[in-house]
PDB file of all heavy atoms in Angstrom:
ATOM      1  N   ASN A 148      -2.273  41.157  -9.184  1.00  0.00           N
ATOM      2  CA  ASN A 148      -1.774  39.780  -9.362  1.00  0.00           C
ATOM      3  C   ASN A 148      -0.292  39.682  -9.723  1.00  0.00           C
ATOM      4  O   ASN A 148       0.184  38.609 -10.119  1.00  0.00           O
ATOM      5  CB  ASN A 148      -2.601  39.033 -10.421  1.00  0.00           C
ATOM      6  CG  ASN A 148      -4.062  38.898 -10.024  1.00  0.00           C
ATOM      7  OD1 ASN A 148      -4.368  38.648  -8.857  1.00  0.00           O
ATOM      8  ND2 ASN A 148      -4.955  39.078 -10.987  1.00  0.00           N
ATOM      9  N   GLY A 149       0.437  40.766  -9.579  1.00  0.00           N
ATOM     10  CA  GLY A 149       1.882  40.736  -9.809  1.00  0.00           C
ATOM     11  C   GLY A 149       2.616  41.320  -8.625  1.00  0.00           C
ATOM     12  O   GLY A 149       2.050  42.087  -7.842  1.00  0.00           O
ATOM     13  N   ILE A 150       3.884  40.948  -8.457  1.00  0.00           N
ATOM     14  CA  ILE A 150       4.675  41.484  -7.343  1.00  0.00           C
ATOM     15  C   ILE A 150       4.713  43.001  -7.440  1.00  0.00           C
ATOM     16  O   ILE A 150       4.969  43.567  -8.507  1.00  0.00           O
ATOM     17  CB  ILE A 150       6.095  40.900  -7.349  1.00  0.00           C
ATOM     18  CG1 ILE A 150       6.050  39.381  -7.122  1.00  0.00           C
ATOM     19  CG2 ILE A 150       6.949  41.543  -6.266  1.00  0.00           C
ATOM     20  CD1 ILE A 150       7.405  38.708  -7.200  1.00  0.00           C
ATOM     21  N   LEU A 151       4.454  43.682  -6.332  1.00  0.00           N
ATOM     22  CA  LEU A 151       4.434  45.142  -6.304  1.00  0.00           C
ATOM     23  C   LEU A 151       5.852  45.689  -6.456  1.00  0.00           C
ATOM     24  O   LEU A 151       6.752  45.355  -5.680  1.00  0.00           O
ATOM     25  CB  LEU A 151       3.819  45.640  -4.989  1.00  0.00           C
ATOM     26  CG  LEU A 151       3.851  47.152  -4.767  1.00  0.00           C
ATOM     27  CD1 LEU A 151       2.996  47.862  -5.816  1.00  0.00           C
ATOM     28  CD2 LEU A 151       3.366  47.494  -3.361  1.00  0.00           C
ATOM     29  N   ASN A 152       6.047  46.507  -7.471  1.00  0.00           N
ATOM     30  CA  ASN A 152       7.330  47.184  -7.651  1.00  0.00           C
ATOM     31  C   ASN A 152       7.336  48.438  -6.793  1.00  0.00           C
ATOM     32  O   ASN A 152       6.604  49.395  -7.062  1.00  0.00           O
ATOM     33  CB  ASN A 152       7.535  47.552  -9.127  1.00  0.00           C
ATOM     34  CG  ASN A 152       7.682  46.323 -10.007  1.00  0.00           C
ATOM     35  OD1 ASN A 152       8.330  45.354  -9.629  1.00  0.00           O
ATOM     36  ND2 ASN A 152       7.068  46.363 -11.188  1.00  0.00           N
ATOM     37  N   LEU A 153       8.153  48.420  -5.755  1.00  0.00           N
ATOM     38  CA  LEU A 153       8.182  49.544  -4.822  1.00  0.00           C
ATOM     39  C   LEU A 153       8.811  50.760  -5.488  1.00  0.00           C
ATOM     40  O   LEU A 153       9.896  50.691  -6.055  1.00  0.00           O
ATOM     41  CB  LEU A 153       8.963  49.160  -3.562  1.00  0.00           C
ATOM     42  CG  LEU A 153       8.349  48.044  -2.708  1.00  0.00           C
ATOM     43  CD1 LEU A 153       9.235  47.723  -1.531  1.00  0.00           C
ATOM     44  CD2 LEU A 153       6.953  48.435  -2.230  1.00  0.00           C
ATOM     45  N   GLU A 154       8.115  51.879  -5.402  1.00  0.00           N
ATOM     46  CA  GLU A 154       8.610  53.139  -5.931  1.00  0.00           C
ATOM     47  C   GLU A 154       8.920  54.080  -4.783  1.00  0.00           C
ATOM     48  O   GLU A 154       8.736  53.741  -3.602  1.00  0.00           O
ATOM     49  CB  GLU A 154       7.570  53.745  -6.887  1.00  0.00           C
ATOM     50  CG  GLU A 154       7.236  52.834  -8.067  1.00  0.00           C
ATOM     51  CD  GLU A 154       6.185  53.441  -8.975  1.00  0.00           C
ATOM     52  OE1 GLU A 154       5.944  54.660  -8.866  1.00  0.00           O
ATOM     53  OE2 GLU A 154       5.608  52.701  -9.795  1.00  0.00           O
ATOM     54  N   ASN A 155       9.383  55.286  -5.118  1.00  0.00           N
ATOM     55  CA  ASN A 155       9.807  56.227  -4.081  1.00  0.00           C
ATOM     56  C   ASN A 155       8.668  56.637  -3.153  1.00  0.00           C
ATOM     57  O   ASN A 155       8.896  56.957  -1.988  1.00  0.00           O
ATOM     58  CB  ASN A 155      10.418  57.479  -4.723  1.00  0.00           C
ATOM     59  CG  ASN A 155      11.738  57.174  -5.412  1.00  0.00           C
ATOM     60  OD1 ASN A 155      12.434  56.240  -5.027  1.00  0.00           O
ATOM     61  ND2 ASN A 155      12.067  57.950  -6.446  1.00  0.00           N
ATOM     62  N   HIS A 156       7.441  56.627  -3.668  1.00  0.00           N
ATOM     63  CA  HIS A 156       6.319  57.059  -2.824  1.00  0.00           C
ATOM     64  C   HIS A 156       5.651  55.874  -2.110  1.00  0.00           C
ATOM     65  O   HIS A 156       4.584  56.020  -1.536  1.00  0.00           O
ATOM     66  CB  HIS A 156       5.295  57.845  -3.649  1.00  0.00           C
ATOM     67  CG  HIS A 156       4.601  57.045  -4.696  1.00  0.00           C
ATOM     68  ND1 HIS A 156       5.260  56.291  -5.640  1.00  0.00           N
ATOM     69  CD2 HIS A 156       3.276  56.884  -4.960  1.00  0.00           C
ATOM     70  CE1 HIS A 156       4.384  55.706  -6.428  1.00  0.00           C
ATOM     71  NE2 HIS A 156       3.173  56.039  -6.037  1.00  0.00           N
ATOM     72  N   HIS A 157       6.296  54.692  -2.133  1.00  0.00           N
ATOM     73  CA  HIS A 157       5.819  53.522  -1.394  1.00  0.00           C
ATOM     74  C   HIS A 157       6.668  53.303  -0.149  1.00  0.00           C
ATOM     75  O   HIS A 157       7.884  53.485  -0.181  1.00  0.00           O
ATOM     76  CB  HIS A 157       5.898  52.255  -2.263  1.00  0.00           C
ATOM     77  CG  HIS A 157       4.940  52.251  -3.399  1.00  0.00           C
ATOM     78  ND1 HIS A 157       5.145  51.533  -4.559  1.00  0.00           N
ATOM     79  CD2 HIS A 157       3.752  52.891  -3.572  1.00  0.00           C
ATOM     80  CE1 HIS A 157       4.133  51.718  -5.382  1.00  0.00           C
ATOM     81  NE2 HIS A 157       3.282  52.531  -4.808  1.00  0.00           N
ATOM     82  N   GLN A 158       6.034  52.900   0.929  1.00  0.00           N
ATOM     83  CA  GLN A 158       6.759  52.551   2.147  1.00  0.00           C
ATOM     84  C   GLN A 158       6.043  51.397   2.834  1.00  0.00           C
ATOM     85  O   GLN A 158       4.811  51.407   2.958  1.00  0.00           O
ATOM     86  CB  GLN A 158       6.864  53.752   3.097  1.00  0.00           C
ATOM     87  CG  GLN A 158       7.707  53.472   4.337  1.00  0.00           C
ATOM     88  CD  GLN A 158       7.837  54.692   5.231  1.00  0.00           C
ATOM     89  OE1 GLN A 158       7.286  55.748   4.949  1.00  0.00           O
ATOM     90  NE2 GLN A 158       8.570  54.565   6.328  1.00  0.00           N
ATOM     91  N   ILE A 159       6.812  50.393   3.285  1.00  0.00           N
ATOM     92  CA  ILE A 159       6.237  49.221   3.947  1.00  0.00           C
ATOM     93  C   ILE A 159       6.676  49.187   5.407  1.00  0.00           C
ATOM     94  O   ILE A 159       7.848  49.396   5.726  1.00  0.00           O
ATOM     95  CB  ILE A 159       6.663  47.922   3.235  1.00  0.00           C
ATOM     96  CG1 ILE A 159       5.971  47.816   1.870  1.00  0.00           C
ATOM     97  CG2 ILE A 159       6.318  46.695   4.069  1.00  0.00           C
ATOM     98  CD1 ILE A 159       6.352  46.591   1.075  1.00  0.00           C
TER      99      ILE A 159
END
Side-chain angles (χ1 to χ4, degrees):
N148 298 320
I150 296 176
L151 175 64
N152 294 320
L153 295 178
E154 301 179 16
N155 292 333
H156 66 307
H157 292 154
Q158 185 178 1
I159 290 178

